[in-house]
Amino acid sequence: MNLNSADAAFTALLAQNLPAGSLSETEPRHLEEPRGRWQGRAGPMVRPRTTEEVARIVTLAADARVGIIPYGGGTGLVGGQISPEGPLPLILSLERINALRDIYAQENVLICEAGCVLADIQSAAEEVDRLFPLSLASEGSARIGGNLATNAGGTAVLRYGNARDLCLGVEAVLPDGQIWHGLKRLRKDNTGYDLRNLLIGSEGTLGIITAAALKLSPRPAQSGTAFFVVPSPAAALSLLALARGQLGEMVSGFELINGQGLRFLSEVLPNVRQPFETPPEWCVLIEVGLVSGMDPASALERVFEEASAQGLALDGLIAQNAQQSKDFWSVREHIPEANKRIGAIISSDVSLPLGCIAGFITRARQLIAEVGAFRINCFGHLGDGNLHFNIFPVPGETAAQHNDKRAALQRVVHDLVHDLDGSVSAEHGIGRLKVDDLQRYGDPAKLSAMRAVKAALDPVGIMNPGALFKT
Amino acid sequence: MNLNSADAAFTALLAQNLPAGSLSETEPRHLEEPRGRWQGRAGPMVRPRTTEEVARIVTLAADARVGIIPYGGGTGLVGGQISPEGPLPLILSLERINALRDIYAQENVLICEAGCVLADIQSAAEEVDRLFPLSLASEGSARIGGNLATNAGGTAVLRYGNARDLCLGVEAVLPDGQIWHGLKRLRKDNTGYDLRNLLIGSEGTLGIITAAALKLSPRPAQSGTAFFVVPSPAAALSLLALARGQLGEMVSGFELINGQGLRFLSEVLPNVRQPFETPPEWCVLIEVGLVSGMDPASALERVFEEASAQGLALDGLIAQNAQQSKDFWSVREHIPEANKRIGAIISSDVSLPLGCIAGFITRARQLIAEVGAFRINCFGHLGDGNLHFNIFPVPGETAAQHNDKRAALQRVVHDLVHDLDGSVSAEHGIGRLKVDDLQRYGDPAKLSAMRAVKAALDPVGIMNPGALFKT
């Protein structure tokens, strides 16, 4: 692809074509990512204020053959926002393109720019008595442009879908500098190829999303939360079917939690209030959002009764008020932080056909035991078939020793996932972390179509070079 | 693109490479379409039995530069399945690739081949107590491959989404003959570009879908149906918001019906039992699918009470049993047939932002009145913003006279839709009917990206030449 570095001549050219103050140097935070795996290189950063400025920048970069790294909230977990090598790229931060353009409450549509922080969008929806259901741990700093570029998932996918399901239209700058004005507020639009979904999840490699028309939902009249202790992951799945049988789409969240995660919490975050005195081996956190006239506690009790009668639930706690609901969710939300504090995590983000999950957990444990002794914290969005299967050293083992086994362990997990028709990246994307995995496990016809699409839309290869594909 | 005709030499080559009986001549039904606008030309047809045979055919066609028209149930309404001109193509019928491969009831997944008839898929799902919610007038003959290729809509989109929302994965033959084995049963899979959604809705121009993993839903414990008379389309939209406020996702269908449609029914299909003695100017058909423990009649009564108190409903009829529900739906389902019998229909399939619908209906009537006197039957899937705005001659006017005004009237409607940020093809697609509309109203950046993607994946241009793009 023969890209050039974003050198002084290029930044001078940019400066000439943009308002004063658009250009700066990267700050350290732009060169780091949450997992600490990659380190970017200091260099030029541009913070345009409008979509038209983005278009101008992209056009100049295409002419100069300079790579662009689109930068949102910097919360991605696969290194898509970091350029550790190759010709120095331009970091294009969307942080100033952050207006909430319009809310159409009656239409259940909100239009905002890429730089809006996810939590702010949630709040704006709430102010007009609507719900923007995308919900994830980093929502306080993640920006919607990045959420869409990576097709973010989170805890409400079961009911409301991934980021792509919550987006009706996008405005984007394509790699040739053209602006696609695609901010449709339509539920149905069959006029040609689905470019919206092509851009969503393309991780900045096919263009820069600058604004989006987002789908809001009515807010459930009342919500309820419960912890149910289950005898096994298989039982948890049957419990999910039972709950959906009783409550249909009103089951909003269904999270599997392993005893190891609760023990880690006790160890490193003892202030997080735990639901059970003795951590059960498996439990699920259920969230329901009900229509008016239904009582959450009784609805959850009815689920528990039936589940208990079928041997699917051994114990249960139903939140009695909003504070207790919050406490329950706090347990789930602190598990990633506890993992981080335990350290030396070998993480994964896999999805499986629902029918294969229980078998996967058992078999993965066996295969990992063949490699050595480890602590495993397997948790995740069970309703979506999405597990975070994380492997930690046993006490006494050093991080360095553990790290030596990283490649082998990840191979074991990913090979098994692949054999079971699962995905080695359920919700975090490919970024730079899983470029090799994509090649190894990807369908050859799909990969060649992807390369053809990339070459067609970004022939110079300026958009996020190094993400998804080897440069 | 310089395609060649599917001549005797080419069919001989195909015959050598396929099992006996694969090749035949087209039958008249393959050369016609429901609207009677296009006439195909008699020529060779191939009916492969396996995906591998499709791949072989596509490879040979690409080598020989022969166009392929993928053929499903032949029910498309925009001529995507008919080749009226240009080098004679090969008709590739999917009718023999029609196995139901697997049902994973616990996973809510069904895997079937492209040639499966939609109604058979619905029945197969019902047999395992699940719902495949895609539902449309032609379901008795439409095949799922075509439903996906055109991203079909129908009456349950409000709750369950379009065809693309009901598909987890596809198997497809790409224009170079490669088979993409993409039959994932996953709710989350962020491993690269969303080729599935690129193929869905591409109307056979980027490849041939040969099988799909479809998303099933739990069947609602009980259903209810009601007709509410509303004072206006604006009131109908407020009624929808009210119903969804009370019942959330359990509102499955919300169809707007105009008095003209009911009068047409009386005129040409007098045996269809009508709900009201005097056809009201506007009414809506509401379908709800409730969880166990909720009574449909009381739920609908509660909606009616509140709607009535707010002046949103003037009269109402709630179905008291399954037969009555069926009768109510029969009214809605016979409207297209009545339109057809009235004849000389100038139809449209548009969608609008919900907030623009009431204004659109008023303004479109005004603009059309400026052209002349007509009868207008405006009905559709109101919850999705999807209207079929159909224009008929007044009695005494001949079909030929009416036809002369077709282009002008369609331009009036489509220009207004475009001004209001709507879509000139909500659920039927572009096919051959709206190729010019796509060029006129399409976003230039999107169109150039579409052309780039088409050229990248189908450089010879063999896939459904003449659909979506001018050849």
Side-chain angles (χ1 to χ4, degrees):
Chain A
M1 296 283 187
N2 285 332
L3 292 178
N4 298 319
S5 285
D7 59 14
F10 177 66
T11 52
L13 182 70
L14 283 181
Q16 277 166 34
N17 284 278
L18 293 168
S22 298
L23 277 156
S24 58
E25 287 288 302
T26 48
E27 296 161 33
R29 66 182 171 99
H30 298 108
L31 309 175
E32 292 161 1
E33 44 80 34
R35 293 252 167 96
R37 294 280 208 93
W38 290 271
Q39 178 65 44
R41 295 154 296 161
M45 180 171 73
V46 65
R47 289 182 296 163
R49 288 179 177 85
T50 66
T51 301
E52 289 67 29
E53 289 176 18
V54 175
R56 221 176 301 155
I57 296 162
V58 171
T59 305
L60 292 169
D63 284 351
R65 307 182 74 88
V66 169
I68 292 176
I69 310 284
Y71 199 91
T75 59
L77 294 173
V78 289
Q81 70 276 46
I82 299 291
S83 171
E85 58 189 11
L88 189 69
L90 175 69
I91 310 296
L92 190 157
S93 167
L94 279 303
E95 69 196 272
R96 285 174 173 169
I97 304 183
N98 62 356
L100 198 159
R101 289 196 194 161
D102 277 303
I103 301 191
Y104 302 88
Q106 204 208 354
E107 294 182 13
N108 283 311
V109 175
L110 181 154
I111 297 186
C112 67
E113 294 181 338
C116 286
V117 169
L118 175 53
D120 295 339
I121 299 171
Q122 295 166 345
S123 305
E126 206 173 315
E127 273 172 34
V128 295
D129 196 29
R130 293 292 184 279
L131 177 73
F132 181 60
L134 189 65
S135 176
L136 32 91
S138 60
E139 60 198 25
S141 46
R143 296 176 194 268
I144 193 68
N147 293 145
L148 290 168
T150 57
N151 185 30
T155 56
V157 175
L158 179 65
R159 180 170 188 168
Y160 299 102
N162 293 301
R164 73 168 76 255
D165 303 303
L166 300 172
C167 179
L168 296 170
V170 298
E171 174 190 275
V173 175
L174 301 182
D176 61 0
Q178 283 194 85
I179 299 172
W180 173 32
H181 299 280
L183 287 177
K184 297 278 185 187
R185 286 138 54 201
L186 306 173
R187 258 66 183 177
K188 284 183 174 175
D189 180 20
N190 277 348
T191 51
Y193 300 158
D194 188 0
L195 280 195
R196 169 174 55 95
N197 276 315
L198 189 60
L199 283 175
I200 295 173
S202 69
E203 305 186 33
T205 64
L206 296 179
I208 300 174
I209 293 170
T210 53
L214 302 175
K215 203 196 284 183
L216 306 180
S217 291
R219 292 176 68 197
Q222 48 256 316
S223 302
T225 314
F227 267 115
F228 288 180
V229 176
V230 294
S232 65
L237 281 162
S238 302
L239 170 61
L240 171 62
L242 188 159
R244 297 188 79 191
Q246 286 192 9
L247 297 169
E249 292 99 330
M250 293 184 282
V251 181
S252 314
F254 198 86
E255 299 285 312
L256 181 71
I257 294 173
N258 181 240
Q260 185 62 265
L262 299 176
R263 290 190 293 272
F264 281 169
L265 271 179
S266 309
E267 193 177 329
V268 295
L269 293 169
N271 289 333
V272 173
R273 188 194 301 257
Q274 296 237 3
F276 302 103
E277 262 187 54
T278 313
E281 189 54 20
W282 294 107
C283 64
V284 292
L285 178 63
I286 306 182
E287 176 81 8
V288 297
L290 306 177
V291 297
S292 67
M294 292 182 81
D295 175 54
S298 355
L300 287 164
E301 270 158 33
R302 208 172 131 228
V303 173
F304 182 76
E305 265 169 38
E306 172 103 23
S308 179
Q310 295 185 22
L312 302 174
L314 307 175
D315 194 2
L317 285 172
I318 295 172
Q320 296 304 312
N321 52 49
Q323 184 56 47
Q324 243 179 6
S325 276
K326 228 170 150 179
D327 288 347
F328 283 12
W329 272 102
S330 166
V331 172
R332 167 63 183 85
E333 282 157 4
H334 279 94
I335 288 176
E337 177 60 23
N339 286 343
K340 215 169 156 181
R341 294 197 186 192
I342 291 290
I345 179 173
I346 297 176
S347 66
S348 61
D349 163 36
V350 303
S351 66
L352 293 143
L354 289 184
C356 300
I357 285 191
F360 165 80
I361 293 175
T362 306
R363 184 74 186 130
R365 284 175 182 280
Q366 288 167 352
L367 292 169
I368 287 165
E370 288 170 17
V371 179
F374 301 93
R375 291 181 294 178
I376 294 171
N377 183 15
C378 167
F379 64 104
H381 317 296
L382 190 67
D384 318 316
N386 180 191
L387 296 178
H388 300 300
F389 193 89
N390 295 344
I391 308 169
F392 300 83
V394 289
E397 185 103 342
T398 67
Q401 287 169 324
H402 191 60
N403 252 327
D404 288 345
K405 296 166 194 151
R406 180 178 295 273
L409 286 171
Q410 257 167 352
R411 186 67 185 265
V412 162
V413 171
H414 285 176
D415 279 357
L416 180 60
V417 165
H418 183 67
D419 288 348
L420 294 172
D421 259 340
S423 167
V424 297
S425 183
E427 60 175 4
H428 296 160
I430 299 296
R432 286 167 177 78
L433 180 66
K434 294 183 181 173
V435 169
D436 289 336
D437 288 311
L438 180 60
Q439 292 302 316
R440 178 175 297 120
Y441 301 113
D443 177 271
K446 177 177 174 181
L447 290 175
S448 84
M450 279 178 61
R451 280 188 293 264
V453 168
K454 169 73 174 172
L457 296 182
D458 183 18
V460 187
I462 60 167
M463 294 306 311
N464 207 359
L468 282 184
F469 307 97
K470 275 220 164 64
T471 45
Chain B
M1 296 284 186
N2 285 330
L3 291 177
N4 298 319
S5 286
D7 59 13
F10 177 66
T11 51
L13 182 68
L14 282 181
Q16 277 167 33
N17 284 277
L18 294 169
S22 297
L23 277 156
S24 58
E25 285 290 301
T26 49
E27 297 161 33
R29 67 183 171 99
H30 299 108
L31 309 175
E32 293 161 1
E33 45 80 34
R35 292 252 167 95
R37 296 279 210 93
W38 290 272
Q39 178 65 44
R41 295 154 295 161
M45 180 171 72
V46 64
R47 291 183 295 163
R49 289 179 177 83
T50 66
T51 301
E52 290 66 29
E53 287 177 19
V54 175
R56 222 176 300 156
I57 296 163
V58 171
T59 305
L60 292 169
D63 285 351
R65 306 181 74 90
V66 169
I68 293 176
I69 310 284
Y71 200 92
T75 60
L77 294 173
V78 289
Q81 69 276 44
I82 298 293
S83 172
E85 57 189 9
L88 188 70
L90 175 70
I91 310 296
L92 190 157
S93 167
L94 278 303
E95 68 196 272
R96 286 175 173 168
I97 304 184
N98 63 356
L100 198 159
R101 290 198 193 159
D102 277 303
I103 301 191
Y104 302 88
Q106 204 208 355
E107 293 182 13
N108 283 310
V109 175
L110 181 153
I111 296 185
C112 67
E113 294 181 338
C116 286
V117 170
L118 175 52
D120 294 339
I121 299 171
Q122 294 167 345
S123 305
E126 206 173 317
E127 273 172 35
V128 294
D129 196 29
R130 293 293 185 278
L131 176 74
F132 182 60
L134 189 65
S135 176
L136 31 92
S138 60
E139 61 198 25
S141 45
R143 296 176 194 269
I144 191 68
N147 294 144
L148 290 168
T150 58
N151 185 29
T155 55
V157 174
L158 179 65
R159 180 170 188 168
Y160 299 103
N162 293 300
R164 74 168 75 255
D165 303 304
L166 300 173
C167 178
L168 296 170
V170 299
E171 175 190 274
V173 175
L174 301 182
D176 62 359
Q178 282 193 86
I179 299 172
W180 173 31
H181 299 280
L183 287 177
K184 296 279 186 188
R185 287 137 54 200
L186 305 173
R187 258 66 184 175
K188 284 183 174 176
D189 180 19
N190 277 347
T191 50
Y193 300 158
D194 188 0
L195 280 195
R196 168 175 54 94
N197 276 314
L198 189 59
L199 283 175
I200 295 174
S202 70
E203 305 186 33
T205 65
L206 296 178
I208 300 174
I209 294 170
T210 52
L214 303 174
K215 202 197 283 184
L216 306 180
S217 290
R219 294 176 67 198
Q222 49 257 316
S223 302
T225 315
F227 266 116
F228 287 0
V229 176
V230 294
S232 65
L237 282 163
S238 301
L239 171 61
L240 171 62
L242 188 160
R244 297 188 78 193
Q246 286 191 10
L247 296 170
E249 292 98 329
M250 292 183 285
V251 182
S252 313
F254 198 86
E255 299 286 312
L256 181 71
I257 294 173
N258 181 240
Q260 186 61 266
L262 299 176
R263 290 191 293 273
F264 281 168
L265 272 180
S266 310
E267 193 177 329
V268 294
L269 293 169
N271 289 334
V272 174
R273 187 194 301 257
Q274 295 237 4
F276 303 103
E277 263 187 53
T278 314
E281 190 55 19
W282 293 107
C283 64
V284 292
L285 178 64
I286 307 182
E287 175 81 8
V288 297
L290 306 178
V291 296
S292 65
M294 291 181 82
D295 174 55
S298 359
L300 286 164
E301 270 159 31
R302 210 173 129 228
V303 172
F304 181 76
E305 264 169 40
E306 173 104 22
S308 179
Q310 296 185 23
L312 302 174
L314 307 175
D315 194 1
L317 285 172
I318 295 173
Q320 297 304 313
N321 52 49
Q323 184 55 48
Q324 244 180 6
S325 276
K326 229 172 148 178
D327 288 348
F328 283 13
W329 272 102
S330 165
V331 172
R332 167 64 184 85
E333 282 157 4
H334 279 94
I335 287 177
E337 177 60 23
N339 285 343
K340 216 171 155 178
R341 294 197 186 191
I342 290 291
I345 179 172
I346 297 177
S347 67
S348 61
D349 163 38
V350 303
S351 67
L352 294 143
L354 289 184
C356 299
I357 284 190
F360 165 80
I361 293 174
T362 306
R363 185 74 187 129
R365 284 176 182 280
Q366 287 167 352
L367 292 169
I368 287 165
E370 288 170 18
V371 179
F374 301 93
R375 291 180 295 177
I376 294 171
N377 184 14
C378 168
F379 65 102
H381 317 297
L382 191 67
D384 317 319
N386 181 190
L387 295 179
H388 299 301
F389 193 89
N390 295 345
I391 308 169
F392 300 82
V394 288
E397 185 103 343
T398 66
Q401 287 169 324
H402 191 60
N403 253 328
D404 287 344
K405 297 166 194 150
R406 182 179 293 273
L409 287 171
Q410 258 168 351
R411 186 67 184 267
V412 162
V413 172
H414 285 176
D415 278 358
L416 181 60
V417 166
H418 183 66
D419 287 348
L420 295 171
D421 258 340
S423 168
V424 298
S425 182
E427 60 175 4
H428 297 162
I430 298 298
R432 287 169 176 77
L433 179 66
K434 295 184 179 172
V435 169
D436 290 336
D437 289 310
L438 180 61
Q439 292 303 315
R440 178 174 298 121
Y441 301 113
D443 177 270
K446 177 178 172 179
L447 290 175
S448 83
M450 279 178 60
R451 280 188 292 265
V453 168
K454 169 73 174 173
L457 295 181
D458 183 19
V460 187
I462 59 167
M463 295 306 311
N464 208 359
L468 283 182
F469 307 97
K470 277 221 161 63
T471 45

